[in-house]
Amino acid sequence: MKKLTLLVGLSALTLVAASCGTSDDSSGGGTKSDAGFTAPNLPKLDKLGAGEGKLSVLAWPGYAEDGSNDPKVDWVSSFEKKTGCQVTVKTFGTSDEAVSLMKTGQYDVVSASGDASLRLIAGGQVEPVNTDLVPNYKDVYPFLKDRPWNSVKGQMYGIPHGYGANLLMWRTDKVTTPPTSWSAVFEADSPYKGKVTAYDSPIYIADAAMYLMAKKPDLGIKNPYALDDTQLQAVVDLLKQQKTLVSEYWSDYLKEVQAFTSGNSVIGTTWQVIANVATGEKVPVQVAVPSEGVTGWSDTWMLSATSKNKNCGYLWMDHIISPEANAAVAEYFGESPSNGKACDLTADKKHCATFHAGDAAYSEKIWYWTTPIEQCLDGRTDVKCTDYGKWTQAWTQIKG
């Protein structure tokens, strides 16, 4: 539970962006990505020099531990000793906060989830990375490289860190027939009315959209992050219906663990780490990937375009995905590491199996959190899709 206390700030472990592309345009005007925004033409470091002696890290709680929270949890000190780069760490609780802080130019590197990475790339706050300068990059799982949330047309804008899925969890003593569908938390006739928990964020709209992709194919939803006005309204109607079932919306670990411990909630969306903690607290829970699939996250370390400490930044990105550090972070935080060699170094030898590390087939089941934008991410050009602003307004209506 101590780990959860440190991670309460992780209330909106966010989204995953959309777009892939290089900034290799001779016109100097930037390159339009597949997601519809223009990636600025920014240079990337061509060779690594000596560390500048300091590094300012902006991170999710639990990603850059220096022993101050727990003396046994420290992968910053070894980096400082090895490189001479003295680290200061600022943590954030949401991607919106991370983007705002990066705009100040005060931070050298950031652990960005997908909605942040999309905005940071488009806004020119982060620059392309030269993966040749990150030796441990070669050991990153291939299915995490050159993905819509961390690259633009084949040019990486960051180094993959870790990933996980949003699963369906239930109390096995209250839900005796294991559910195989998200219908148990969305449909009005659910036998668990008043005992359902749901994630408290506009991005949860994507979970309902994913369900409707299978439930109502006539709506034409092909990507849960690409919703036109009609499709969004259908999803909103479903979520308003779900509200009658919900006992509690959660946005941090502790609240969901407590809800399942008390029995106030018996079924709902969760993260694997929450299920692990609940099990450790002797709460009888089980998780599954329902037939409709799951949403999830994948985080990326990114380098500020205005950083004065880019050599230290590159040294940090290589360090944090080294087998030793990546194993420590993944196990402490509760996610899959990005470096396959990390699996040999976790204290819990079952950790990587629990989190499906390196399982490309499992990863492909995940609709990674993506920022909804007007340019439809499913390829449609005859309509405009709803952006995150509209999703935020819709979420306010849903919750009332």
Side-chain angles (χ1 to χ4, degrees):
M1 295 301 289
K2 183 173 183 179
K3 173 168 70 174
L4 294 186
T5 302
L6 297 175
L7 297 180
V8 166
L10 188 62
S11 57
L13 202 140
T14 38
L15 329 170
V16 177
S19 106
C20 11
T22 103
S23 54
D24 197 1
D25 184 73
S26 59
S27 69
T31 298
K32 193 173 183 181
S33 77
D34 295 339
F37 70 83
T38 298
N41 282 330
L42 295 174
K44 59 186 177 184
L45 205 64
D46 59 358
K47 65 178 181 178
L48 194 61
E52 296 85 357
K54 61 181 180 179
L55 184 73
S56 181
V57 175
L58 185 61
W60 286 110
Y63 271 13
E65 292 296 309
D66 61 3
S68 58
N69 289 316
D70 183 343
K72 296 179 181 178
V73 181
D74 181 0
W75 45 89
V76 170
S77 295
S78 60
F79 169 76
E80 292 177 323
K81 183 177 180 180
K82 180 180 179 180
T83 66
C85 302
Q86 297 303 302
V87 175
T88 56
V89 179
K90 167 73 174 177
T91 60
F92 58 86
T94 68
S95 284
D96 286 348
E97 184 182 356
V99 171
S100 294
L101 289 170
M102 283 299 289
K103 286 181 179 179
T104 67
Q106 297 177 21
Y107 305 95
D108 299 307
V109 293
V110 59
S111 62
S113 294
D115 63 333
S117 57
L118 175 65
R119 287 181 279 171
L120 292 170
I121 294 170
Q125 276 82 47
V126 296
E127 67 183 44
V129 298
N130 184 345
T131 57
D132 291 340
L133 303 181
V134 184
N136 284 305
Y137 182 76
K138 67 181 185 301
D139 296 319
V140 169
Y141 293 125
F143 60 85
L144 296 178
K145 299 177 179 180
D146 299 319
R147 299 309 299 264
W149 57 88
N150 59 25
S151 67
V152 179
K153 295 195 183 302
Q155 170 60 62
M156 290 294 292
Y157 273 77
I159 302 298
H161 172 88
Y163 63 98
N166 301 311
L167 304 167
L168 179 63
M169 180 169 74
W170 65 93
R171 276 190 56 151
T172 56
D173 59 338
K174 305 294 184 181
V175 181
T176 55
T177 301
T180 60
S181 168
W182 287 109
S183 62
V185 302
F186 285 124
E187 295 298 339
D189 61 356
S190 170
Y192 312 112
K193 184 174 183 178
K195 298 291 185 178
V196 171
T197 184
Y199 187 50
D200 191 3
S201 169
I203 203 61
Y204 185 65
I205 289 172
D207 291 64
M210 179 186 65
Y211 173 67
L212 288 181
M213 284 173 62
K215 175 72 174 179
K216 295 185 177 181
D218 56 305
L219 285 171
I221 300 174
K222 303 300 181 184
N223 180 320
Y225 305 102
L227 305 177
D228 60 35
D229 287 327
T230 300
Q231 293 166 337
L232 177 62
Q233 186 58 54
V235 175
V236 168
D237 291 343
L238 177 64
L239 287 167
K240 286 182 176 179
Q241 173 179 282
Q242 185 198 41
K243 187 185 176 186
T244 66
L245 312 176
V246 171
S247 58
E248 184 175 340
Y249 291 95
W250 67 274
S251 60
D252 67 62
Y253 284 71
L254 287 174
K255 285 188 177 179
E256 188 174 31
V257 172
Q258 291 167 354
F260 272 77
T261 300
S262 68
N264 188 48
S265 298
V266 302
I267 192 168
T269 187
T270 196
W271 300 325
Q272 182 69 57
V273 63
I274 299 175
N276 292 350
V277 172
T279 299
E281 296 291 318
K282 309 301 181 184
V283 183
V285 298
Q286 187 172 336
V287 296
V289 175
S291 59
E292 299 87 4
V294 289
T295 60
W297 77 89
S298 177
D299 291 341
T300 304
W301 283 101
M302 310 186 88
L303 179 66
S304 170
T306 60
S307 171
K308 304 296 185 184
N309 305 300
K310 293 183 180 180
N311 291 300
C312 280
Y314 269 84
L315 292 170
W316 170 262
M317 290 190 291
D318 188 54
H319 169 77
I320 203 64
I321 63 160
S322 65
E324 296 80 8
N326 205 217
V329 178
E331 194 164 19
Y332 181 71
F333 183 76
E335 63 185 353
S336 170
S338 63
N339 186 334
K341 291 183 177 180
C343 292
D344 293 332
L345 301 177
T346 56
D348 176 6
K349 297 308 176 184
K350 296 181 180 179
H351 177 85
C352 283
T354 299
F355 288 89
H356 301 273
D359 188 339
Y362 180 85
S363 180
E364 288 305 312
K365 296 178 182 178
I366 301 173
W367 284 98
Y368 286 107
W369 277 337
T370 303
T371 305
I373 57 177
E374 283 190 357
Q375 293 81 6
C376 295
L377 302 176
D378 58 8
R380 285 180 293 170
T381 58
D382 57 335
V383 296
K384 283 187 177 181
C385 279
T386 52
D387 62 17
Y388 193 67
K390 286 190 175 181
W391 283 36
T392 301
Q393 294 171 5
W395 189 245
T396 301
Q397 294 176 11
I398 290 161
K399 293 189 64 183

